[in-house]
Amino acid sequence: IFFRSVFLPTSLMPVIKFQPKTDAEVCRAFWSKAQKQDDHQDVFYGMITAGLSEPVPKPGKGDWLREHEEKGQTLRQFENCSFRIEPHGHCDTILLQPVGDYPDDAEAAPPLNALAEYVTAFYGVPTRVLPAVALEKIPGLTTRMHGGFRQLLIGDIYNFMKELLKSRDLARKTLAVVAVTMEDLYPGDDWNFVYGQAYALEAVGVFSFARFHPSFSPPSTPASASAVMLQRSCKVLTHEIGHLAGLRHCIHRRCLLNGVNHELEMQMQPLQLCPLCLKKLSGSFKWHLMTRSQQLLAFYTAHKGFEEAAQKEQSMQAYLATRQQKG
């Protein structure tokens, strides 16, 4: 789950004393099962020494690491992860399944074609948008009114998505299927809402973009509704697919896979993976780092609201070019 969304007041949440990882601990986290000692020549670890990555800041009141005890994940722990999506053979496509009324208006909902384009650039695999499914087509869908909004029970949508994957044609080629909706979601009666959930064992994700609209959570800096929604949606979508790919919440560096508790923390979260998480998925998805960075930069420069991310990709490309010259 990407955000805390329970009834329990923040004042009653347990306070976790998070200790940032030392440089030595971060270095050891990069060791693979084949390594017996740290490798400071590693291209990924070099991103830290080159200033392309920032340490995790000390959590403040209400922040994720102040209220959730995270153990993190080293490269070896990732390599030992049994349940994670990984492209192989013809099984290489991520499917986006719109659920309910999904407006064809960039000011009302993040464009599905832009989301698919971004997932393709980020994960380097084909991403396809399926025809939308009407709510009445989901068997036994439970709904409720909460806070003036209609909410859908996320488990019912998850069960529908599992059945969808039983189609022989889809199962043979599908790496993961992700339901996206502009309806608000909840996982149970004791919860206010949830932004989404990822089910790694079944390679299924269910996510709502309803609360990413500025009318629901105004950004702290002026921006158009379409830019805010697209950036937030790209962030949560790639974060949760990262969980399907075997990544746990990251505590080693500032990272897309950091846990997030509130809107400001989400705004501060980068769109990029940290060097450690980048190394994990680079092997699984067989990324060519320069090509991937170029594709991401093309997306960032083509859409408003991604200026900071574009600058980071430019810095990444300069670093990779320098490494190629030395190597």
Side-chain angles (χ1 to χ4, degrees):
I1 299 170
F2 191 54
F3 290 78
R4 171 179 56 80
S5 315
V6 295
F7 281 118
L8 191 61
T10 301
S11 60
L12 299 181
M13 294 294 290
V15 176
I16 306 299
K17 294 183 179 180
F18 171 72
Q19 294 295 328
K21 295 293 184 179
T22 65
D23 291 344
E25 289 173 323
V26 171
C27 184
R28 286 196 296 271
F30 278 81
W31 300 1
S32 71
K33 290 187 287 188
Q35 288 177 302
K36 295 183 179 180
Q37 58 184 4
D38 59 321
D39 182 3
H40 288 273
Q41 302 305 312
D42 182 279
V43 64
F44 298 95
Y45 186 80
M47 295 173 186
I48 294 179
T49 57
L52 298 180
S53 175
E54 300 175 4
V56 176
K58 183 179 179 181
K61 183 178 180 181
D63 288 351
W64 181 270
L65 288 175
R66 189 76 176 269
E67 299 177 356
H68 298 81
E69 186 174 5
E70 297 278 14
K71 295 183 179 180
Q73 181 189 49
T74 66
L75 178 58
R76 291 187 184 185
Q77 289 171 332
F78 172 80
E79 291 172 335
N80 290 329
C81 179
S82 301
F83 303 110
R84 53 186 167 100
I85 61 172
E86 185 173 312
H88 60 278
H90 296 291
C91 184
D92 65 350
T93 302
I94 294 176
L95 300 178
L96 300 184
Q97 174 64 75
V99 173
D101 182 21
Y102 199 98
D104 186 18
D105 177 0
E107 296 296 319
L112 291 168
N113 60 341
L115 293 175
E117 179 187 353
Y118 185 65
V119 172
T120 294
F122 194 96
Y123 284 101
V125 296
T127 306
R128 184 160 60 93
V129 179
L130 297 175
V133 172
L135 297 184
E136 54 267 24
K137 296 292 185 180
I138 300 177
L141 178 61
T142 305
T143 66
R144 74 174 185 182
M145 293 300 296
H146 183 78
F149 296 93
R150 180 175 66 179
Q151 295 182 316
L152 313 180
L153 186 63
I154 196 170
D156 292 341
I157 302 176
Y158 161 66
N159 290 333
F160 174 80
M161 300 302 290
K162 279 203 307 180
E163 291 299 316
L164 181 69
L165 268 183
K166 290 182 180 180
S167 163
R168 181 177 299 179
D169 290 339
L170 288 182
R172 186 165 53 89
K173 299 179 181 180
T174 302
L175 187 63
V177 60
V178 178
V180 294
T181 182
M182 291 305 292
E183 299 277 352
D184 209 22
L185 301 174
Y186 76 107
D189 291 339
D190 293 337
W191 290 67
N192 288 327
F193 70 95
V194 70
Y195 285 88
Q197 291 180 333
Y199 306 85
L201 184 60
E202 292 84 6
V204 172
V206 181
F207 314 120
S208 168
F209 301 141
R211 292 176 181 255
F212 293 162
H213 194 284
S215 64
F216 223 123
S217 180
S220 57
T221 56
S224 70
S226 59
V228 170
M229 276 194 301
L230 181 59
Q231 194 218 58
R232 290 175 174 178
S233 300
C234 285
K235 190 174 288 188
V236 73
L237 194 55
T238 48
H239 174 109
E240 295 294 353
I241 294 174
H243 285 319
L244 296 179
L247 297 179
R248 299 179 194 166
H249 279 147
C250 182
I251 61 173
H252 289 87
R253 307 293 291 179
R254 286 197 62 202
C255 179
L256 173 71
L257 265 291
N258 296 148
V260 171
N261 239 13
H262 49 79
E263 191 274 334
L264 180 58
E265 203 172 20
M266 182 184 189
Q267 181 180 327
M268 298 299 295
Q269 181 190 43
L271 279 152
Q272 284 83 6
L273 295 169
C274 74
L276 176 58
C277 292
L278 187 66
K279 183 172 185 177
K280 294 170 186 174
L281 293 193
S282 182
S284 294
F285 285 78
K286 297 178 174 56
W287 289 334
H288 182 277
L289 295 179
M290 181 65 83
T291 299
R292 177 178 181 270
S293 181
Q294 290 169 344
Q295 291 173 344
L296 286 172
L297 180 58
F299 181 90
Y300 295 148
T301 54
H303 296 85
K304 294 181 179 179
F306 293 87
E307 291 78 14
E308 182 178 350
Q311 292 176 356
K312 290 184 177 181
E313 289 304 329
Q314 290 170 341
S315 298
M316 172 67 76
Q317 291 177 29
Y319 166 77
L320 292 173
T322 302
R323 294 284 302 204
Q324 288 176 352
Q325 292 172 359
K326 291 181 178 179

